[in-house]
Amino acid sequence: MERILVIGANGQIGSELVDALAAKHGAENVVAADISHASLYGAKIYEVVDVLNTDRLAEIHDKYEITQVYQLAALLSATGEKAPLKAWTLNMDGLLNILELARIRGEAGKPLKVFWPSSIAAFGPNTEAVNTPQYTVMDPNTIYGISKLAGERLCEYYFQKYNVDVRSIRYPGIISYKSPPGGGTTDYAIAIFHSALKGETYSCFLEAQQSLPMIYMPDAIRATISLMEAPIENIKIRSSYNVSGMSFNPQELTSEITKNLPNFQVHYAPDSRQAIAASWPQSLNDEAAYQDWGWKAEIDLNALVTDMLKNVRVTN
């Protein structure tokens, strides 16, 4: 029986991952954890955990006899640029603390499988932008991206050196209706729906033609769990896998929305986030994920827009 700890459970990915894991393994076997004093999404088991507190991590691990950890706590791209030292400390030390916990428990005969998300932010301005391959130039220019690239190297190191079963996905922009934007450069693709449904003109912080790889949350959750469930011998890449759902730009997304809301308008006012987006891939080659563990996206742009317009709840 798996006993699963999700750190960062109040975040965009964590909140939905907890539900999916509870449905699969039973809510009594999934521990949601975050630095807030309560679960924002009604998790059955919730613990206050700071991923920088190694004693607390060990305590929770032993209390619940954890067999899998999803370490999702991080400061994202745009937020991280405002507090780079804080972002580096949380993003790097948080991962390192989990890898060390897995190493120590593994050496004691209690193996701990780890999931840690990387990101398209690990790429950079000299990366091949279209159909970005699994192995390519990686020269990130944000503290978030730098921490993700360093984290990928740590993951592979801990697997090769200590046999820690750590697995990772380079998430593209993730779109969801269940949680608000969380400080990422791709968050325009969530905020735009809120403006559209309120009948407001949306002020987009990216240029109209700035294409980026994206994925709808159900596909992102399915990819994450599929990777973690894959037989260990199938996992050939221990840095991080490219995974993508679709690619589009703000103009294409707007066009799809206006098929349903013809009066919706967008004003383009690129800010500092445009430079970040311009340094990232426009599309990803995720063939390695398909070959190794059968990944294939199911949700396209039309289905995403239809579902978002149906489910986004707006507040005035």
Side-chain angles (χ1 to χ4, degrees):
M1 179 185 296
E2 298 290 352
R3 300 282 285 174
I4 302 169
L5 174 63
V6 180
I7 302 173
N10 282 338
Q12 182 194 28
I13 302 169
S15 58
E16 301 198 36
L17 183 61
V18 167
D19 288 344
L21 290 169
K24 181 175 285 286
H25 297 281
E28 69 279 4
N29 293 312
V30 180
V31 180
D34 214 308
I35 57 172
S36 312
H37 290 295
S39 170
L40 301 181
Y41 300 96
K44 182 173 183 178
I45 303 175
Y46 182 82
E47 293 280 358
V48 178
V49 174
D50 181 348
V51 74
L52 301 180
N53 185 330
T54 55
D55 290 339
R56 180 64 171 155
L57 290 173
E59 176 189 351
I60 294 299
H61 174 275
D62 295 345
K63 177 180 178 180
Y64 293 100
E65 299 180 327
I66 298 298
T67 61
Q68 292 186 16
V69 176
Y70 292 77
Q71 161 34 21
L72 306 177
L75 280 187
L76 302 183
S77 55
T79 305
E81 289 304 285
K82 297 174 182 177
L85 294 182
K86 181 179 180 181
W88 178 262
T89 299
L90 175 58
N91 296 357
M92 293 308 305
D93 288 355
L95 170 61
L96 191 56
N97 288 346
I98 296 299
L99 292 174
E100 272 293 284
L101 179 67
R103 177 187 68 81
I104 293 167
R105 292 302 188 267
E107 290 174 352
K110 298 178 180 179
L112 183 61
K113 187 187 293 185
V114 175
F115 176 83
W116 172 80
S118 187
S119 164
I120 57 170
F123 298 111
N126 292 301
T127 299
E128 186 177 342
V130 177
N131 201 31
T132 300
Q134 177 67 44
Y135 296 106
T136 185
V137 172
M138 301 181 74
D139 57 340
N141 56 8
T142 65
I143 197 67
Y144 178 66
I146 292 166
S147 71
K148 288 301 184 183
L149 179 54
E152 289 190 19
R153 306 319 310 145
L154 272 177
C155 288
E156 189 163 76
Y157 178 83
Y158 267 76
F159 172 73
Q160 293 176 346
K161 184 82 171 179
Y162 304 115
N163 203 33
V164 172
D165 187 3
V166 56
R167 307 177 182 200
S168 179
I169 285 172
R170 291 173 184 148
Y171 283 133
I174 298 178
I175 300 172
S176 169
Y177 63 82
K178 291 186 180 180
S179 54
T185 301
T186 57
D187 279 352
Y188 86 87
I190 300 174
I192 194 171
F193 287 97
H194 290 261
S195 291
L197 290 167
K198 289 179 181 178
E200 300 173 348
T201 297
Y202 177 63
S203 181
C204 184
F205 54 76
L206 298 185
E207 294 176 356
Q209 302 296 324
Q210 183 59 63
S211 291
L212 289 167
M214 299 282 191
I215 193 169
Y216 198 35
M217 182 64 83
D219 267 350
I221 297 297
R222 187 170 56 84
T224 303
I225 294 176
S226 295
L227 173 63
M228 287 293 275
E229 291 183 341
I232 192 167
E233 62 270 16
N234 289 16
I235 308 303
K236 306 297 197 319
I237 294 169
R238 292 295 180 161
S239 52
S240 195
Y241 279 96
N242 281 3
V243 161
S244 186
M246 65 199 84
S247 290
F248 57 80
N249 62 43
Q251 188 173 66
E252 290 167 335
L253 179 56
T254 300
S255 177
E256 199 66 36
I257 293 172
T258 56
K259 291 178 183 178
N260 298 273
L261 299 171
N263 295 324
F264 177 56
Q265 295 185 341
V266 174
H267 166 70
Y268 294 96
D271 63 16
S272 60
R273 289 167 284 190
Q274 170 57 38
I276 295 175
S279 73
W280 290 354
Q282 298 175 27
S283 58
L284 294 176
N285 183 325
D286 55 8
E287 182 67 21
Y290 171 74
Q291 291 179 346
D292 290 357
W293 43 277
W295 162 249
K296 187 176 181 180
E298 295 180 350
I299 301 170
D300 62 12
L301 179 58
N302 176 266
L304 180 155
V305 169
T306 299
D307 202 54
M308 286 290 285
L309 290 175
K310 177 182 177 182
N311 288 292
V312 167
R313 297 292 177 261
V314 297
T315 56
N316 295 322

